[in-house]
Amino acid sequence: SQTIHQWPATLVQPVGSPLSLECTVEGTSNPNLYWYRQAAGRGLQLLFYSVGIGQISSEVPQNLSASRPQDRQFILSSKKLLLSDSGFYLCAWSPSRLFYEQYFGPGTRLTVT
Amino acid sequence: KNEVEQSPQNLTAQEGEFITINCSYSVGISALHWLQQHPGGGIVSLFMLSSGKKKHGRLIATINIQEKHSSLHITASHPRDSAVYICAASNNDMRFGAGTRLTVKP
């Protein structure tokens, strides 16, 4: 069966520090991968999606970037965190058609201080 | 106006009650999703539908493509159904509603 992992589960980082959140999927190959953010008191927002290694699509301009170095690995990064980057970050995957049938990871709660 | 609107924002029910959460969207979609988010933050996908009706246990989701409207129904509600229910419209991206916070009291 397929599983999706995210780490860390929680993170407290100072403003200006770098960020790296990792997401991996097991039990499938060539998944579509997604990063979402849920800021405090706000709805979910799609940040990035990827259909394959090295292929990243960005939905909104921001202080963040994403990379997919391996088929089942998706990384969210920042060189310098802002206070507004605080939120709950969710990774998800889907097996076939883009934006269909998504399975979500447990999430990372990021607090920028 | 948001592209995906949910109502109500908050809903409190007594155990056993029939619950309806509504979702209206103004964008073209390939699918409409209903998600459940528990207090810890984890999200589970409940339904993905592009037409008609789907049922899973006590949960029923319907969609009317012409009216651009979907509903999520919970029959015989239980305190463990307490969560935030989120509607999302997908096409070439995902657009989310603000969520409906459901509290079911014993």
Side-chain angles (χ1 to χ4, degrees), chain A residues 39-102:
Chain A
R42 303 183 68 176
L44 280 159
Q45 179 185 39
L46 174 66
L47 299 176
F48 302 94
Y49 64 92
S50 171
V51 299
I53 296 174
Q55 301 178 65
I56 308 294
S57 296
S58 174
E59 283 299 296
V60 291
Q62 61 223 321
N63 185 41
L64 303 168
S65 62
S67 62
R68 185 169 177 175
Q70 299 180 46
D71 181 47
R72 290 169 290 173
Q73 184 185 33
F74 205 22
I75 296 172
L76 183 69
S77 304
S78 174
K79 291 183 180 177
K80 287 186 177 182
L81 284 169
L82 305 172
L83 284 173
S84 58
D85 292 323
S86 293
F88 189 58
Y89 289 83
L90 286 150
C91 179
W93 73 277
S94 64
S96 52
R97 186 171 166 179
L98 202 56
F99 299 112
Y100 261 43
E101 198 183 353
Q102 293 182 58

Short mmCIF file of all heavy atoms in Angstrom, two decimals, chain A residues 39-102:
data_model
loop_
_atom_site.label_atom_id
_atom_site.label_comp_id
_atom_site.label_asym_id
_atom_site.label_seq_id
_atom_site.Cartn_x
_atom_site.Cartn_y
_atom_site.Cartn_z
N ALA A 39 -2.40 28.92 6.06
CA ALA A 39 -2.00 29.93 7.03
C ALA A 39 -3.06 30.02 8.12
O ALA A 39 -4.22 29.65 7.90
CB ALA A 39 -1.82 31.27 6.34
N ALA A 40 -2.67 30.52 9.27
CA ALA A 40 -3.57 30.58 10.43
C ALA A 40 -4.84 31.35 10.05
O ALA A 40 -4.78 32.46 9.54
CB ALA A 40 -2.87 31.26 11.60
N GLY A 41 -5.99 30.73 10.30
CA GLY A 41 -7.27 31.38 10.04
C GLY A 41 -7.62 31.51 8.56
O GLY A 41 -8.59 32.20 8.22
N ARG A 42 -6.85 30.87 7.71
CA ARG A 42 -7.10 30.97 6.27
C ARG A 42 -7.26 29.59 5.65
O ARG A 42 -6.95 28.57 6.25
CB ARG A 42 -5.97 31.74 5.60
CG ARG A 42 -5.77 33.11 6.18
CD ARG A 42 -4.69 33.87 5.46
NE ARG A 42 -5.10 34.21 4.09
CZ ARG A 42 -4.36 34.94 3.27
NH1 ARG A 42 -3.19 35.38 3.66
NH2 ARG A 42 -4.77 35.21 2.05
N GLY A 43 -7.75 29.59 4.44
CA GLY A 43 -7.98 28.32 3.75
C GLY A 43 -6.70 27.76 3.14
O GLY A 43 -5.64 28.38 3.16
N LEU A 44 -6.84 26.57 2.60
CA LEU A 44 -5.72 25.92 1.94
C LEU A 44 -5.38 26.63 0.63
O LEU A 44 -6.25 27.15 -0.06
CB LEU A 44 -6.10 24.47 1.62
CG LEU A 44 -5.98 23.49 2.77
CD1 LEU A 44 -6.82 22.26 2.51
CD2 LEU A 44 -4.53 23.10 2.98
N GLN A 45 -4.10 26.61 0.32
CA GLN A 45 -3.63 27.25 -0.90
C GLN A 45 -2.61 26.33 -1.56
O GLN A 45 -1.69 25.84 -0.91
CB GLN A 45 -2.99 28.60 -0.55
CG GLN A 45 -2.43 29.36 -1.74
CD GLN A 45 -1.72 30.62 -1.30
OE1 GLN A 45 -1.02 30.64 -0.29
NE2 GLN A 45 -1.88 31.69 -2.07
N LEU A 46 -2.78 26.10 -2.84
CA LEU A 46 -1.82 25.31 -3.59
C LEU A 46 -0.57 26.15 -3.83
O LEU A 46 -0.65 27.28 -4.31
CB LEU A 46 -2.43 24.88 -4.93
CG LEU A 46 -1.51 24.15 -5.91
CD1 LEU A 46 -1.09 22.79 -5.35
CD2 LEU A 46 -2.20 23.98 -7.25
N LEU A 47 0.59 25.59 -3.48
CA LEU A 47 1.85 26.30 -3.67
C LEU A 47 2.59 25.80 -4.93
O LEU A 47 2.98 26.59 -5.78
CB LEU A 47 2.76 26.11 -2.46
CG LEU A 47 2.25 26.61 -1.12
CD1 LEU A 47 3.24 26.25 -0.01
CD2 LEU A 47 2.01 28.12 -1.16
N PHE A 48 2.83 24.50 -4.98
CA PHE A 48 3.58 23.91 -6.09
C PHE A 48 2.99 22.54 -6.42
O PHE A 48 2.40 21.89 -5.57
CB PHE A 48 5.06 23.69 -5.71
CG PHE A 48 5.80 24.91 -5.31
CD1 PHE A 48 5.92 25.27 -3.97
CD2 PHE A 48 6.41 25.71 -6.27
CE1 PHE A 48 6.61 26.40 -3.60
CE2 PHE A 48 7.10 26.86 -5.90
CZ PHE A 48 7.19 27.20 -4.56
N TYR A 49 3.21 22.13 -7.67
CA TYR A 49 2.91 20.76 -8.02
C TYR A 49 3.96 20.27 -9.01
O TYR A 49 4.64 21.07 -9.67
CB TYR A 49 1.49 20.56 -8.55
CG TYR A 49 1.17 21.27 -9.84
CD1 TYR A 49 1.33 20.63 -11.06
CD2 TYR A 49 0.64 22.56 -9.82
CE1 TYR A 49 1.01 21.28 -12.24
CE2 TYR A 49 0.31 23.21 -10.99
CZ TYR A 49 0.49 22.57 -12.20
OH TYR A 49 0.17 23.20 -13.37
N SER A 50 4.09 18.94 -9.07
CA SER A 50 5.12 18.34 -9.92
C SER A 50 4.59 17.07 -10.56
O SER A 50 3.99 16.24 -9.89
CB SER A 50 6.36 18.03 -9.08
OG SER A 50 7.28 17.26 -9.82
N VAL A 51 4.82 16.94 -11.86
CA VAL A 51 4.38 15.73 -12.57
C VAL A 51 5.54 14.76 -12.80
O VAL A 51 5.31 13.63 -13.26
CB VAL A 51 3.70 16.08 -13.91
CG1 VAL A 51 2.47 16.94 -13.66
CG2 VAL A 51 4.67 16.79 -14.84
N GLY A 52 6.75 15.19 -12.47
CA GLY A 52 7.89 14.29 -12.65
C GLY A 52 9.17 14.90 -12.11
O GLY A 52 9.19 16.07 -11.69
N ILE A 53 10.23 14.14 -12.11
CA ILE A 53 11.53 14.59 -11.58
C ILE A 53 11.94 15.88 -12.28
O ILE A 53 11.94 15.97 -13.52
CB ILE A 53 12.60 13.51 -11.79
CG1 ILE A 53 12.27 12.26 -10.97
CG2 ILE A 53 13.98 14.03 -11.38
CD1 ILE A 53 13.19 11.10 -11.22
N GLY A 54 12.28 16.87 -11.46
CA GLY A 54 12.78 18.13 -11.99
C GLY A 54 11.72 19.03 -12.60
O GLY A 54 12.01 20.13 -13.04
N GLN A 55 10.45 18.59 -12.59
CA GLN A 55 9.35 19.39 -13.18
C GLN A 55 8.52 19.99 -12.07
O GLN A 55 7.82 19.27 -11.36
CB GLN A 55 8.48 18.51 -14.08
CG GLN A 55 9.22 17.87 -15.23
CD GLN A 55 8.30 16.99 -16.05
OE1 GLN A 55 7.37 17.48 -16.67
NE2 GLN A 55 8.56 15.69 -16.05
N ILE A 56 8.62 21.32 -11.93
CA ILE A 56 7.93 22.02 -10.86
C ILE A 56 7.08 23.12 -11.46
O ILE A 56 7.56 23.89 -12.29
CB ILE A 56 8.92 22.67 -9.86
CG1 ILE A 56 9.94 21.64 -9.38
CG2 ILE A 56 8.16 23.31 -8.70
CD1 ILE A 56 9.39 20.52 -8.55
N SER A 57 5.83 23.20 -11.02
CA SER A 57 4.94 24.30 -11.41
C SER A 57 4.58 25.07 -10.16
O SER A 57 4.24 24.48 -9.14
CB SER A 57 3.68 23.77 -12.08
OG SER A 57 3.99 23.12 -13.29
N SER A 58 4.67 26.38 -10.26
CA SER A 58 4.40 27.25 -9.13
C SER A 58 3.08 27.96 -9.34
O SER A 58 2.83 28.47 -10.44
CB SER A 58 5.51 28.28 -8.96
OG SER A 58 5.18 29.21 -7.95
N GLU A 59 2.26 27.98 -8.30
CA GLU A 59 0.95 28.61 -8.41
C GLU A 59 0.95 30.06 -7.97
O GLU A 59 0.16 30.85 -8.48
CB GLU A 59 -0.08 27.82 -7.59
CG GLU A 59 -0.52 26.54 -8.26
CD GLU A 59 -1.20 26.79 -9.59
OE1 GLU A 59 -2.27 27.42 -9.61
OE2 GLU A 59 -0.65 26.37 -10.62
N VAL A 60 1.73 30.38 -6.99
CA VAL A 60 1.74 31.75 -6.49
C VAL A 60 3.18 32.21 -6.27
O VAL A 60 4.01 31.45 -5.82
CB VAL A 60 0.95 31.89 -5.16
CG1 VAL A 60 -0.52 31.69 -5.39
CG2 VAL A 60 1.45 30.91 -4.13
N PRO A 61 3.48 33.48 -6.58
CA PRO A 61 4.83 33.99 -6.32
C PRO A 61 5.03 34.14 -4.82
O PRO A 61 4.14 34.56 -4.10
CB PRO A 61 4.83 35.35 -7.00
CG PRO A 61 3.40 35.74 -7.09
CD PRO A 61 2.61 34.48 -7.22
N GLN A 62 6.16 33.73 -4.32
CA GLN A 62 6.37 33.75 -2.89
C GLN A 62 7.83 33.57 -2.57
O GLN A 62 8.67 33.48 -3.47
CB GLN A 62 5.56 32.63 -2.24
CG GLN A 62 6.00 31.27 -2.73
CD GLN A 62 4.82 30.38 -3.03
OE1 GLN A 62 3.83 30.39 -2.31
NE2 GLN A 62 4.89 29.63 -4.09
N ASN A 63 8.08 33.44 -1.29
CA ASN A 63 9.43 33.32 -0.77
C ASN A 63 9.89 31.88 -0.77
O ASN A 63 10.93 31.57 -0.19
CB ASN A 63 9.41 33.89 0.67
CG ASN A 63 10.75 33.93 1.28
OD1 ASN A 63 11.73 34.27 0.64
ND2 ASN A 63 10.84 33.56 2.55
N LEU A 64 9.15 30.98 -1.39
CA LEU A 64 9.42 29.57 -1.29
C LEU A 64 9.78 28.99 -2.65
O LEU A 64 9.43 29.55 -3.69
CB LEU A 64 8.18 28.84 -0.75
CG LEU A 64 7.66 29.30 0.60
CD1 LEU A 64 6.29 28.71 0.87
CD2 LEU A 64 8.63 28.92 1.71
N SER A 65 10.44 27.85 -2.64
CA SER A 65 10.73 27.12 -3.86
C SER A 65 10.54 25.64 -3.59
O SER A 65 10.49 25.21 -2.43
CB SER A 65 12.17 27.40 -4.34
OG SER A 65 13.10 26.97 -3.37
N ALA A 66 10.41 24.87 -4.64
CA ALA A 66 10.24 23.43 -4.50
C ALA A 66 11.16 22.71 -5.46
O ALA A 66 11.53 23.25 -6.50
CB ALA A 66 8.78 23.02 -4.76
N SER A 67 11.53 21.50 -5.06
CA SER A 67 12.36 20.68 -5.94
C SER A 67 11.92 19.23 -5.83
O SER A 67 11.35 18.80 -4.81
CB SER A 67 13.85 20.81 -5.56
OG SER A 67 14.07 20.36 -4.23
N ARG A 68 12.17 18.48 -6.89
CA ARG A 68 11.85 17.05 -6.92
C ARG A 68 13.09 16.33 -7.44
O ARG A 68 13.21 16.04 -8.62
CB ARG A 68 10.65 16.79 -7.81
CG ARG A 68 10.18 15.33 -7.77
CD ARG A 68 8.85 15.19 -8.45
NE ARG A 68 8.42 13.80 -8.50
CZ ARG A 68 7.24 13.42 -8.97
NH1 ARG A 68 6.37 14.32 -9.41
NH2 ARG A 68 6.92 12.14 -8.99
N PRO A 69 14.01 16.03 -6.53
CA PRO A 69 15.27 15.40 -6.95
C PRO A 69 15.13 13.91 -7.30
O PRO A 69 15.93 13.38 -8.06
CB PRO A 69 16.17 15.59 -5.74
CG PRO A 69 15.23 15.73 -4.58
CD PRO A 69 14.01 16.37 -5.11
N GLN A 70 14.12 13.28 -6.72
CA GLN A 70 13.86 11.87 -7.01
C GLN A 70 12.37 11.68 -7.28
O GLN A 70 11.56 12.55 -6.95
CB GLN A 70 14.28 10.99 -5.83
CG GLN A 70 15.76 11.07 -5.49
CD GLN A 70 16.12 10.19 -4.31
OE1 GLN A 70 15.71 9.03 -4.24
NE2 GLN A 70 16.88 10.73 -3.37
N ASP A 71 12.03 10.54 -7.85
CA ASP A 71 10.65 10.31 -8.28
C ASP A 71 9.63 10.48 -7.16
O ASP A 71 8.54 11.01 -7.38
CB ASP A 71 10.54 8.89 -8.86
CG ASP A 71 9.14 8.58 -9.36
OD1 ASP A 71 8.56 9.44 -10.08
OD2 ASP A 71 8.62 7.49 -9.06
N ARG A 72 10.00 10.03 -5.96
CA ARG A 72 9.03 10.03 -4.86
C ARG A 72 9.43 10.98 -3.74
O ARG A 72 9.02 10.79 -2.59
CB ARG A 72 8.86 8.60 -4.34
CG ARG A 72 8.12 7.70 -5.33
CD ARG A 72 8.20 6.25 -4.94
NE ARG A 72 9.54 5.72 -5.10
CZ ARG A 72 9.91 4.51 -4.70
NH1 ARG A 72 9.04 3.71 -4.11
NH2 ARG A 72 11.14 4.08 -4.89
N GLN A 73 10.22 11.99 -4.06
CA GLN A 73 10.67 12.94 -3.06
C GLN A 73 10.37 14.35 -3.52
O GLN A 73 10.69 14.75 -4.66
CB GLN A 73 12.18 12.78 -2.83
CG GLN A 73 12.74 13.66 -1.74
CD GLN A 73 14.25 13.54 -1.63
OE1 GLN A 73 14.93 13.33 -2.63
NE2 GLN A 73 14.78 13.68 -0.43
N PHE A 74 9.76 15.12 -2.62
CA PHE A 74 9.37 16.49 -2.94
C PHE A 74 9.84 17.36 -1.79
O PHE A 74 9.54 17.08 -0.63
CB PHE A 74 7.86 16.56 -3.12
CG PHE A 74 7.36 17.67 -4.00
CD1 PHE A 74 8.17 18.29 -4.95
CD2 PHE A 74 6.04 18.10 -3.90
CE1 PHE A 74 7.69 19.29 -5.76
CE2 PHE A 74 5.55 19.11 -4.71
CZ PHE A 74 6.37 19.70 -5.64
N ILE A 75 10.59 18.42 -2.10
CA ILE A 75 11.18 19.25 -1.06
C ILE A 75 10.70 20.69 -1.22
O ILE A 75 10.67 21.23 -2.32
CB ILE A 75 12.72 19.18 -1.12
CG1 ILE A 75 13.18 17.75 -0.84
CG2 ILE A 75 13.35 20.16 -0.12
CD1 ILE A 75 14.65 17.51 -1.07
N LEU A 76 10.33 21.29 -0.10
CA LEU A 76 9.94 22.69 -0.06
C LEU A 76 11.03 23.46 0.67
O LEU A 76 11.44 23.07 1.76
CB LEU A 76 8.60 22.85 0.66
CG LEU A 76 8.01 24.25 0.72
CD1 LEU A 76 7.56 24.70 -0.67
CD2 LEU A 76 6.84 24.31 1.69
N SER A 77 11.49 24.55 0.07
CA SER A 77 12.63 25.27 0.63
C SER A 77 12.40 26.77 0.65
O SER A 77 11.57 27.30 -0.08
CB SER A 77 13.89 25.00 -0.20
OG SER A 77 14.15 23.63 -0.30
N SER A 78 13.19 27.40 1.50
CA SER A 78 13.28 28.85 1.49
C SER A 78 14.69 29.23 1.89
O SER A 78 15.28 28.59 2.76
CB SER A 78 12.27 29.46 2.45
OG SER A 78 12.47 30.87 2.54
N LYS A 79 15.21 30.29 1.29
CA LYS A 79 16.54 30.75 1.68
C LYS A 79 16.46 31.62 2.93
O LYS A 79 17.34 31.60 3.78
CB LYS A 79 17.17 31.53 0.53
CG LYS A 79 17.53 30.67 -0.66
CD LYS A 79 18.21 31.48 -1.74
CE LYS A 79 18.57 30.58 -2.94
NZ LYS A 79 19.19 31.36 -4.04
N LYS A 80 15.37 32.40 3.03
CA LYS A 80 15.20 33.30 4.18
C LYS A 80 13.73 33.37 4.54
O LYS A 80 12.94 33.96 3.80
CB LYS A 80 15.71 34.71 3.85
CG LYS A 80 17.21 34.85 3.78
CD LYS A 80 17.62 36.32 3.60
CE LYS A 80 19.13 36.46 3.59
NZ LYS A 80 19.56 37.88 3.46
N LEU A 81 13.37 32.82 5.67
CA LEU A 81 11.97 32.79 6.09
C LEU A 81 11.47 34.17 6.51
O LEU A 81 12.20 34.97 7.09
CB LEU A 81 11.79 31.82 7.25
CG LEU A 81 11.79 30.33 6.88
CD1 LEU A 81 11.88 29.49 8.15
CD2 LEU A 81 10.56 29.97 6.08
N LEU A 82 10.19 34.38 6.19
CA LEU A 82 9.48 35.57 6.63
C LEU A 82 8.45 35.16 7.67
O LEU A 82 8.03 33.99 7.72
CB LEU A 82 8.76 36.23 5.44
CG LEU A 82 9.60 36.58 4.22
CD1 LEU A 82 8.70 37.02 3.08
CD2 LEU A 82 10.62 37.65 4.55
N LEU A 83 7.99 36.12 8.47
CA LEU A 83 6.94 35.82 9.44
C LEU A 83 5.71 35.25 8.74
O LEU A 83 5.04 34.36 9.26
CB LEU A 83 6.55 37.08 10.22
CG LEU A 83 7.51 37.54 11.31
CD1 LEU A 83 7.07 38.89 11.87
CD2 LEU A 83 7.62 36.51 12.43
N SER A 84 5.42 35.76 7.55
CA SER A 84 4.23 35.34 6.82
C SER A 84 4.33 33.92 6.27
O SER A 84 3.35 33.39 5.72
CB SER A 84 3.96 36.32 5.66
OG SER A 84 5.09 36.38 4.80
N ASP A 85 5.49 33.29 6.40
CA ASP A 85 5.63 31.90 5.97
C ASP A 85 5.09 30.92 7.01
O ASP A 85 4.99 29.72 6.73
CB ASP A 85 7.10 31.58 5.67
CG ASP A 85 7.63 32.31 4.45
OD1 ASP A 85 6.86 32.47 3.48
OD2 ASP A 85 8.80 32.73 4.48
N SER A 86 4.76 31.41 8.18
CA SER A 86 4.18 30.53 9.21
C SER A 86 2.90 29.90 8.69
O SER A 86 2.11 30.54 7.99
CB SER A 86 3.87 31.33 10.48
OG SER A 86 5.04 31.78 11.09
N GLY A 87 2.71 28.64 9.07
CA GLY A 87 1.49 27.96 8.64
C GLY A 87 1.65 26.46 8.71
O GLY A 87 2.64 25.94 9.21
N PHE A 88 0.65 25.79 8.20
CA PHE A 88 0.62 24.33 8.18
C PHE A 88 0.85 23.90 6.74
O PHE A 88 0.09 24.28 5.84
CB PHE A 88 -0.75 23.87 8.70
CG PHE A 88 -0.85 22.40 8.93
CD1 PHE A 88 0.01 21.75 9.79
CD2 PHE A 88 -1.84 21.66 8.30
CE1 PHE A 88 -0.09 20.38 10.02
CE2 PHE A 88 -1.96 20.30 8.53
CZ PHE A 88 -1.09 19.67 9.38
N TYR A 89 1.91 23.15 6.51
CA TYR A 89 2.30 22.76 5.15
C TYR A 89 1.96 21.30 4.93
O TYR A 89 2.38 20.42 5.68
CB TYR A 89 3.80 23.01 4.95
CG TYR A 89 4.13 24.47 4.86
CD1 TYR A 89 4.30 25.24 6.01
CD2 TYR A 89 4.25 25.10 3.62
CE1 TYR A 89 4.58 26.59 5.93
CE2 TYR A 89 4.54 26.45 3.54
CZ TYR A 89 4.70 27.19 4.70
OH TYR A 89 4.98 28.53 4.60
N LEU A 90 1.23 21.08 3.87
CA LEU A 90 0.78 19.73 3.56
C LEU A 90 1.33 19.31 2.21
O LEU A 90 1.27 20.05 1.23
CB LEU A 90 -0.75 19.68 3.50
CG LEU A 90 -1.46 19.73 4.84
CD1 LEU A 90 -2.81 20.37 4.71
CD2 LEU A 90 -1.60 18.32 5.40
N CYS A 91 1.83 18.10 2.17
CA CYS A 91 2.24 17.47 0.93
C CYS A 91 1.15 16.48 0.53
O CYS A 91 0.48 15.89 1.40
CB CYS A 91 3.57 16.75 1.13
SG CYS A 91 4.20 15.90 -0.32
N ALA A 92 0.93 16.30 -0.73
CA ALA A 92 -0.06 15.34 -1.21
C ALA A 92 0.44 14.69 -2.48
O ALA A 92 1.34 15.21 -3.14
CB ALA A 92 -1.41 16.01 -1.45
N TRP A 93 -0.13 13.55 -2.80
CA TRP A 93 0.20 12.88 -4.06
C TRP A 93 -1.08 12.37 -4.70
O TRP A 93 -2.09 12.16 -4.05
CB TRP A 93 1.18 11.74 -3.83
CG TRP A 93 0.61 10.52 -3.19
CD1 TRP A 93 0.41 10.31 -1.86
CD2 TRP A 93 0.15 9.32 -3.86
NE1 TRP A 93 -0.14 9.07 -1.65
CE2 TRP A 93 -0.31 8.44 -2.85
CE3 TRP A 93 0.10 8.93 -5.19
CZ2 TRP A 93 -0.81 7.18 -3.15
CZ3 TRP A 93 -0.41 7.68 -5.50
CH2 TRP A 93 -0.86 6.82 -4.48
N SER A 94 -1.00 12.22 -6.03
CA SER A 94 -2.11 11.59 -6.75
C SER A 94 -1.52 10.64 -7.76
O SER A 94 -0.45 10.88 -8.32
CB SER A 94 -3.00 12.64 -7.41
OG SER A 94 -2.30 13.36 -8.41
N PRO A 95 -2.22 9.52 -8.01
CA PRO A 95 -1.63 8.46 -8.82
C PRO A 95 -1.63 8.70 -10.32
O PRO A 95 -0.75 8.24 -11.02
CB PRO A 95 -2.48 7.24 -8.48
CG PRO A 95 -3.78 7.79 -8.01
CD PRO A 95 -3.47 9.11 -7.38
N SER A 96 -2.62 9.38 -10.82
CA SER A 96 -2.70 9.43 -12.28
C SER A 96 -2.94 10.86 -12.75
O SER A 96 -2.04 11.67 -12.88
CB SER A 96 -3.78 8.48 -12.78
OG SER A 96 -5.00 8.70 -12.11
N ARG A 97 -4.20 11.18 -12.96
CA ARG A 97 -4.51 12.48 -13.52
C ARG A 97 -4.24 13.59 -12.50
O ARG A 97 -4.56 13.45 -11.31
CB ARG A 97 -5.97 12.49 -13.95
CG ARG A 97 -6.41 13.73 -14.68
CD ARG A 97 -7.79 13.54 -15.24
NE ARG A 97 -8.37 14.80 -15.66
CZ ARG A 97 -9.58 14.92 -16.20
NH1 ARG A 97 -10.32 13.83 -16.38
NH2 ARG A 97 -10.04 16.08 -16.55
N LEU A 98 -3.67 14.69 -13.00
CA LEU A 98 -3.31 15.81 -12.13
C LEU A 98 -4.55 16.35 -11.42
O LEU A 98 -5.61 16.53 -12.03
CB LEU A 98 -2.66 16.90 -12.97
CG LEU A 98 -1.75 17.93 -12.29
CD1 LEU A 98 -0.64 17.24 -11.53
CD2 LEU A 98 -1.20 18.88 -13.33
N PHE A 99 -4.44 16.56 -10.11
CA PHE A 99 -5.48 17.12 -9.26
C PHE A 99 -6.67 16.19 -9.04
O PHE A 99 -7.70 16.61 -8.53
CB PHE A 99 -5.97 18.49 -9.76
CG PHE A 99 -4.88 19.52 -9.78
CD1 PHE A 99 -4.41 20.02 -10.98
CD2 PHE A 99 -4.29 19.95 -8.61
CE1 PHE A 99 -3.38 20.94 -11.01
CE2 PHE A 99 -3.27 20.88 -8.63
CZ PHE A 99 -2.81 21.38 -9.83
N TYR A 100 -6.53 14.94 -9.41
CA TYR A 100 -7.55 13.94 -9.10
C TYR A 100 -7.12 13.16 -7.88
O TYR A 100 -5.93 13.06 -7.59
CB TYR A 100 -7.72 12.98 -10.28
CG TYR A 100 -8.89 13.28 -11.18
CD1 TYR A 100 -9.19 14.57 -11.55
CD2 TYR A 100 -9.72 12.26 -11.65
CE1 TYR A 100 -10.27 14.85 -12.38
CE2 TYR A 100 -10.80 12.52 -12.47
CZ TYR A 100 -11.07 13.83 -12.82
OH TYR A 100 -12.14 14.08 -13.63
N GLU A 101 -8.02 12.60 -7.16
CA GLU A 101 -7.80 11.56 -6.17
C GLU A 101 -6.52 11.77 -5.35
O GLU A 101 -5.58 10.99 -5.43
CB GLU A 101 -7.71 10.21 -6.90
CG GLU A 101 -7.91 9.01 -6.04
CD GLU A 101 -7.74 7.72 -6.84
OE1 GLU A 101 -7.61 7.78 -8.07
OE2 GLU A 101 -7.73 6.66 -6.23
N GLN A 102 -6.48 12.82 -4.56
CA GLN A 102 -5.26 13.15 -3.83
C GLN A 102 -5.25 12.52 -2.45
O GLN A 102 -6.27 12.39 -1.79
CB GLN A 102 -5.12 14.66 -3.71
CG GLN A 102 -4.88 15.34 -5.05
CD GLN A 102 -4.70 16.82 -4.92
OE1 GLN A 102 -3.81 17.28 -4.20
NE2 GLN A 102 -5.53 17.58 -5.59
#
